[in-house]
Each structure stands twice: as C-alpha cells, then as structure tokens.
Amino acid sequence: MLAVSSGRTLPTVAVLMGGPSAEREVSLSTGRECAAALRGEGFQVTEVDAGPDLPARLAEIRPDVAFNALHGRWGEDGCVQGLLEWLRVPYTHSGVLASALALDKQRSKDMYRAHDLPVVDSVLAAKADVMAGHVMAPPYVVKPNNEGSSVGVYLVHEAANGPPKLADTMPDEVMVETFVPGRELTTTVMDDRPLTVTDILTEGWYDYDAKYKPGGSRHVVPADLPASVFDACMQMALTAHIALGCRGVSRTDFRWDETRGLGGLILLETNTQPGMTPTSLTPEQGQAVGISFGQMCRWLVEDASCDR
C-alpha cells in the first residue's frame, strides 16, 4: 500500500494519461476526468502526458502515487507498470503480469478456459492470410490481439462475399474469433467485489464510436435480466478478475444469446484499465451501487502500491 510522506495530509498524485497508443484520445479524456475528481477529493494532482520522458517527469514530480489513466498498449499491457515498479512509485490498477495477460486476448482466453469460463473459438492469423481468404467460416470478428476499446474491429457477416480488407494500421498478426450474437453485457469488479451488470443497447455494432460518442449507446443499469444470467455475469467477472490476478478495478465484457438461456452467455474479455469518461461504464456502475466517481478515484489512490 502507498506510504504518505511526512507533513502531507494527502498523497500527491501524478495522473498518467495520453500516451502513444491507438486509444490516446480516450485516455486523455479519462485522465482529465480522474484528475478533476481527485482534486475535488483534496489531492494535489499533476497531469502527465506519458511520453518517452516519463521517467524524468516522475523523477521531477516525485509523486506519492501514479494514477494510471492510460489505455491500450504501453499503458495497459504491463509496460508502464514495469517502469513504475522499477522506479518504486506506487500505482493504481493491475500489476505487470495481470495487465500483460488481460490485454493479450489469446492468452487471457487460455486463462478463462483453465477456470471453466465460456469463450468462443479463436485463432491468431497473419494479416495477409486474413485478407487472402476466410480463415474460419463466417460470421466472425477480426481484431488486434492486444488493443482495447473496439479499436480496429471488423465484423465479417455470414453473407460476406469475401474476406475483409484490413486497414494499414492493423498489426501483422490479428485475432479471428467466432461471432457471438446477442446482447452486450458488462460487469465491473472493484476490490474483489462485482458491482452490477449493465445491458448496453446500440443501433448496431458496439464499436469505438458507440462506446465513446455521446448518444452512441444506451446503458440499462442494473440490467433487466433473468436472475441466473445476472448472477452468472457477476460470478464470472469476479472469477476472471481473480484468475488474471487483477487489482483495483477491472471490467469484464460478455455477449448473451438469450435464445439459448444461460448457455448463451459468453465471456469476451477483461479490461484492467476501464474507461472513466463521461460515457464510461465503470463509473456508472459505481454510482448505481452508491459509489460516487470521486469516491472510486479516491479508493484507487488509497489502494495503490508496488508489487501488484
């Protein structure tokens, strides 16, 4: 746990945000929101756009805690966590191993299977092979193996005439997984406690715009679900959180094919750095169970440590 320097009533916090990943803009929004909330809780806060000079900036600021508001590669995959361990700066959210496991979709699926959590079939394939022909029978989804926030997600429909044409920004190796029809559900775990379940309603695919643009989606929280499905989401999210070794808060996403009952519930992935923007799901779930945004941010700071 964090050690508060003598003479300080509250720890000073460096909010790490931005960075070089594909999710930079979302991270900047998360960072600004969290910094404002922490100032409202009485903390002395410095906002840091994480770049190659991050070690020098941290040495200059000498914060008691680094609040990790980064998303995607480098901030969510164990890299910045390793840097903070090396510098011995206590930090929020998950540690090196859990972060690396969760962002690597294929390896996290291996962990889910080992804990009897339901996942769909998937393969890692060369980008060139995916564009040359169907590597599995449609419908399927193509996405980077190590990005979040629906960055670079392609849905190939059953009636597709041919394979997808992937953007130049897609990595050389991608994940191809069986498409799961149904409703988008998600559950946040905070301090090893599942909060609630949200049903995410959109007009189409729950892509990047649906996640982050105002009006892109509508959230029903708590979700109106059969008790068995609601309870399964809560338990599976907690199991995934523990299996991956997550700390702080995590959010696990599901799809549910209601025509199949409980057997239609599939775990998609776990986010170790869930977004905290005005349209984000995790703060909304906290508020639904009586935890304000400021309280959630404050708890994350109080929970910060090294050796996570």
Side-chain angles (χ1 to χ4, degrees):
M1 302 299 287
L2 69 93
V4 180
S5 300
S6 59
R8 291 177 177 169
T9 57
L10 285 174
T12 60
V13 182
V15 176
L16 310 185
M17 54 198 286
S21 85
E23 299 175 67
R24 172 178 172 80
E25 293 305 316
V26 175
S27 174
L28 288 171
S29 182
T30 283
R32 287 189 291 265
E33 294 290 327
C34 293
L38 290 170
R39 291 188 182 103
E41 293 290 317
F43 293 97
Q44 180 180 337
V45 178
T46 301
E47 297 174 27
V48 180
D49 191 340
D53 63 342
L54 181 57
R57 291 294 312 279
L58 290 172
E60 173 191 346
I61 298 166
R62 298 180 60 209
D64 294 308
V65 172
F67 188 105
N68 187 3
L70 295 164
H71 299 309
R73 295 183 63 194
W74 299 290
E76 198 168 352
D77 62 359
C79 289
V80 79
Q81 291 82 1
L83 170 65
L84 295 168
E85 293 283 4
W86 182 269
L87 297 175
R88 305 310 290 168
V89 177
Y91 60 96
T92 62
H93 297 78
S94 292
V96 176
L97 179 57
S99 299
L101 275 175
L103 199 63
D104 188 313
K105 295 178 176 66
Q106 191 71 0
R107 287 184 169 85
S108 58
K109 280 190 176 185
D110 292 340
M111 292 296 294
Y112 299 149
R113 290 188 185 98
H115 289 80
D116 297 320
L117 295 169
V119 295
V120 294
D121 292 336
S122 61
V123 296
L124 295 180
K127 175 182 175 182
D129 292 341
V130 172
M131 291 194 293
H134 294 305
V135 298
M136 68 167 54
Y140 59 82
V141 174
V142 182
K143 56 189 175 183
N145 188 47
N146 59 353
E147 291 283 4
S149 290
S150 300
V151 170
V153 177
Y154 295 77
L155 172 58
V156 180
H157 295 278
E158 197 164 9
N161 293 324
K165 179 174 175 52
L166 306 181
D168 293 340
T169 53
M170 289 286 280
D172 291 335
E173 184 180 66
V174 295
M175 170 179 275
V176 183
E177 67 178 8
T178 302
F179 171 70
V180 183
R183 292 158 68 173
E184 298 272 357
L185 308 175
T186 194
T187 293
T188 295
V189 174
M190 176 180 174
D191 194 23
D192 292 348
R193 169 197 170 193
L195 299 183
T196 187
V197 184
T198 298
D199 191 356
I200 305 162
L201 306 177
T202 66
E203 291 300 319
W205 179 250
Y206 188 49
D207 59 8
Y208 188 92
D209 287 347
K211 283 189 176 183
Y212 296 112
K213 287 189 176 181
S217 62
R218 184 166 63 87
H219 305 160
V220 179
V221 54
D224 182 12
L225 301 169
S228 60
V229 175
F230 192 102
D231 292 346
C233 288
M234 299 280 276
Q235 185 56 54
M236 287 181 190
L238 178 59
T239 300
H241 179 94
I242 294 171
L244 294 171
C246 297
R247 294 284 299 274
V249 297
S250 72
R251 201 194 74 236
T252 294
D253 300 334
F254 305 89
R255 281 182 78 88
W256 178 48
D257 182 354
E258 54 191 308
T259 66
R260 298 178 52 210
L262 186 57
L265 185 64
I266 297 294
L267 194 159
L268 296 177
E269 62 184 37
T270 299
N271 305 278
T272 56
Q273 298 284 141
M276 290 194 175
T277 70
T279 57
S280 290
L281 295 150
T282 286
E284 189 177 51
Q285 290 198 344
Q287 291 164 12
V289 298
I291 303 168
S292 72
F293 185 55
Q295 288 171 329
M296 181 175 283
C297 291
R298 183 187 184 98
W299 178 84
L300 283 164
V301 169
E302 293 171 345
D303 179 65
S305 70
C306 292
D307 304 312
R308 299 175 74 78

